[in-house]
Amino acid sequence: MFELAEAKAQPNALIVYQRSSSQEDQEILEEIKLLAASAGAIVIDTLTAFRRSPDASTYIGKGKVEEVKELVESAEIELVILNHSISPIQERNLERALEVRVLDRTGLILDIFAQRATSHEGKLQVELAQLQHLSTRLVRGWTHLERQKGGIGLRGPGETQLETDRRLIGHRIKVLNKRLDVVSAQRQLRRKSRAKVPVPTVSLVGYTNAGKSSLFNNITNADVYAEDQLFATLDTTMRRVELEQFGTTILSDTVGFIRDLPHSLVEAFHSTLEEVSNANLLLHVVDVVSNYREDCISEVNKVLNEIGASDIPTIMIFNKIDLNGSPAKVKRNDNGLVNEIWLSAHTGEGVSLLLDAITEYLSLLHMRCKLGLPASNGKLRAALYERSLIKAEAINDDGSFELELELSPADFGWLEKQDDINEIKRLK
């Protein structure tokens, strides 16, 4: 086994893309280049190959290994990236043959997540996914697996280095799962507290780099990190938004999805993705200038189905119209509800159409009710005019008021806590 030199911050990388059909998919090739750049690698060259089925030993086959080795030596390559998920044995065999580090698609995505996680929960989730991935690959790291080694305080009688590593990783995974259970419980408590005064939630979802964070910043005037790179956002961010004709809602920005997203990441980020599955409305952001946007939509829908969010009402947001000259517009389905909006998060064109559509959807959640107010409670009457839509009002002979109004679930919860109100009657 070769000895890895100290890792460079920006290693020279060679991308190997092996396709199983005769037609080359340029979009997939560009995506792995973006992933490599997002991880900090300098892509020196790419090598494409056609093979109907992967080689069991090296995935790319003996002849292609020799070709890759020549490029590694001539271009001083320090990292070989495969746009596929390969087995631990294939990874070990490639590293032995090439004498440089080999990283598959899953490992590359995990590396990007490790760099981008900023919150405590995000870091726990990424470490868990990394350890789950590493636990299947311990075999590649040791050439002395049958040699017992006396680690003070670590090994039991006859325990090999590999067994020790597996045990320590297993212990760490248990610790991380317990910590994430605590974080998840805290998240559920916050969700329950929000449910007491129900505020509807709108979640941004979409393929990575579709422009979710830019749209989030435009709507909320926040400063969430937004760059033209894959997985710029990992941690779910939530902000309150005041809609003129509705009231308060919460908008959340979530991690982007990608084709063949490692299942370990979906599992590790499950508590974060619960915010999506509990939303009242999803805004599915799509890069309108992508030649493969239908494939991206399909990949996002696949993950939404995995986390149980496929039945939540969704508006398709076709973003980046400033790049192709399309006008801002709205399309409706057969029921008259908005199902598509074309806009630019960068310029703001069409964002007002989106806010109107969100208001329209959430207004379906509004509650209508009747109540009576004594003449002395003019302060509450004024507050109701500010926080709800007054549909009708009548003044009784004693000066008291009879009001018929429409208000959001959050404001209805507030109203129920007010004193000096006659019985509130819900209307259908």
Side-chain angles (χ1 to χ4, degrees):
M1 177 64 90
F2 67 93
E3 294 295 329
L4 281 174
E6 185 177 346
K8 281 176 59 176
Q10 290 187 298
N12 293 336
L14 169 69
I15 290 176
V16 179
Y17 167 42
Q18 180 170 288
R19 61 188 190 277
S20 56
S21 65
S22 57
Q23 185 176 2
E24 184 173 310
D25 193 330
Q26 191 62 31
E27 182 80 359
I28 292 178
L29 186 56
E30 290 302 317
E31 185 174 88
I32 190 65
K33 287 181 181 179
L34 278 173
L35 282 169
S38 296
I42 301 172
V43 179
I44 302 298
D45 203 353
T46 59
L47 184 66
T48 60
F50 166 64
R51 188 183 180 94
R52 294 196 181 278
S53 59
D55 178 74
S57 176
T58 61
Y59 194 91
I60 59 178
K62 185 176 179 181
K64 192 58 65 175
V65 169
E66 291 300 321
E67 190 177 343
V68 172
K69 187 172 179 61
E70 289 179 10
L71 278 172
V72 165
E73 292 174 349
S74 62
E76 297 184 353
I77 300 297
E78 300 153 292
L79 175 66
V80 173
I81 300 172
L82 278 77
N83 188 35
H84 320 275
S85 291
I86 61 176
S87 71
I89 297 297
Q90 290 167 335
E91 188 173 324
R92 180 190 63 182
N93 290 340
L94 282 171
E95 287 190 339
R96 279 179 172 171
L98 302 175
E99 297 185 338
V100 294
R101 187 182 174 208
V102 174
L103 202 60
D104 68 354
R105 180 184 175 85
T106 299
L108 182 60
I109 293 174
L110 285 170
D111 185 82
I112 296 170
F113 271 55
Q115 292 181 49
R116 302 280 161 75
T118 56
S119 72
H120 174 63
E121 181 179 11
K123 290 176 181 178
L124 290 176
Q125 290 167 327
V126 171
E127 185 183 352
L128 175 62
Q130 283 183 312
L131 288 176
Q132 289 170 336
H133 181 66
L134 177 64
S135 64
T136 65
R137 284 167 150 68
L138 283 178
V139 65
R140 73 174 187 166
W142 306 100
T143 56
H144 57 283
L145 300 185
E146 296 307 316
R147 178 159 55 90
Q148 295 174 8
K149 195 172 182 181
I152 298 175
L154 290 179
R155 279 175 281 287
E159 191 173 46
T160 65
Q161 180 70 45
L162 178 62
E163 290 167 341
T164 300
D165 293 335
R166 283 180 174 160
R167 178 166 55 81
L168 292 176
I169 286 178
H171 175 71
R172 180 62 180 167
I173 286 175
K174 287 181 181 178
V175 170
L176 290 172
N177 277 319
K178 286 182 180 179
R179 290 183 181 178
L180 282 170
D181 286 343
V182 172
V183 174
S184 181
Q186 292 170 344
R187 188 185 291 276
Q188 288 177 5
L189 283 174
R190 290 195 296 270
R191 195 177 292 127
K192 284 181 180 178
S193 66
R194 291 202 302 268
K196 291 178 181 177
V197 183
V199 177
T201 302
V202 179
S203 283
L204 290 162
V205 298
Y207 208 77
T208 182
N209 205 33
K212 297 181 300 300
S213 294
S214 296
L215 184 57
F216 182 86
N217 288 339
N218 191 302
I219 294 174
T220 64
N221 295 317
D223 56 355
V224 170
Y225 182 65
E227 286 293 334
D228 185 18
Q229 57 184 208
L230 303 186
F231 300 116
T233 301
L234 287 189
D235 301 306
T236 298
T237 306
M238 309 181 82
R239 294 286 188 277
R240 297 177 76 91
V241 177
E242 296 296 330
L243 300 172
E244 282 187 18
Q245 298 299 316
F246 177 79
T248 303
T249 186
I250 291 176
L251 183 66
S252 68
D253 184 23
T254 59
V255 61
F257 303 147
I258 197 168
R259 62 169 61 90
D260 300 324
L261 185 68
H263 187 68
S264 58
L265 276 176
V266 176
E267 285 186 335
F269 278 73
H270 192 268
S271 63
T272 300
L273 294 173
E274 281 179 0
E275 296 294 347
V276 174
S277 57
N278 283 279
N280 299 98
L281 176 66
L282 300 182
L283 305 179
H284 184 162
V285 184
V286 179
D287 182 351
V288 75
V289 296
S290 171
N291 295 324
Y292 293 82
R293 70 186 190 206
E294 293 302 323
D295 292 337
C296 295
I297 291 171
S298 176
E299 291 296 331
V300 172
N301 288 337
K302 189 188 300 182
V303 178
L304 291 176
N305 187 58
E306 270 191 70
I307 62 176
S310 56
D311 294 330
I312 298 173
T314 303
I315 301 176
M316 301 298 297
I317 310 297
F318 292 97
N319 186 29
K320 305 185 183 180
I321 61 171
D322 54 302
L323 298 181
N324 71 352
S326 297
K329 58 185 176 183
V330 171
K331 290 187 177 180
R332 295 179 179 271
N333 60 21
D334 294 338
N335 296 321
L337 290 172
V338 174
N339 63 346
E340 288 184 15
I341 297 178
W342 297 60
L343 54 74
S344 168
H346 179 66
T347 65
E349 183 183 3
V351 173
S352 61
L353 298 176
L354 173 59
L355 295 176
D356 291 342
I358 294 173
T359 298
E360 186 177 318
Y361 260 94
L362 296 185
S363 292
L364 299 175
L365 304 175
H366 268 184
M367 302 175 180
R368 296 192 68 172
C369 63
K370 275 187 173 182
L371 59 88
L373 288 179
S376 60
N377 206 341
K379 186 177 180 180
L380 178 56
R381 176 175 172 270
L384 287 172
Y385 266 90
E386 289 182 3
R387 301 182 66 149
S388 66
L389 299 176
I390 306 297
K391 296 294 186 179
E393 181 180 30
I395 301 177
N396 299 320
D397 293 340
D398 60 358
S400 61
F401 303 97
E402 294 289 336
L403 297 172
E404 182 178 328
L405 46 88
E406 183 179 297
L407 70 176
S408 69
D411 286 326
F412 185 81
W414 163 81
L415 180 60
E416 287 185 311
K417 296 178 181 179
Q418 305 305 308
D419 297 326
D420 204 13
I421 298 177
N422 296 339
E423 181 182 2
I424 301 174
K425 184 180 180 182
R426 292 278 298 272
L427 302 175
K428 291 185 179 179

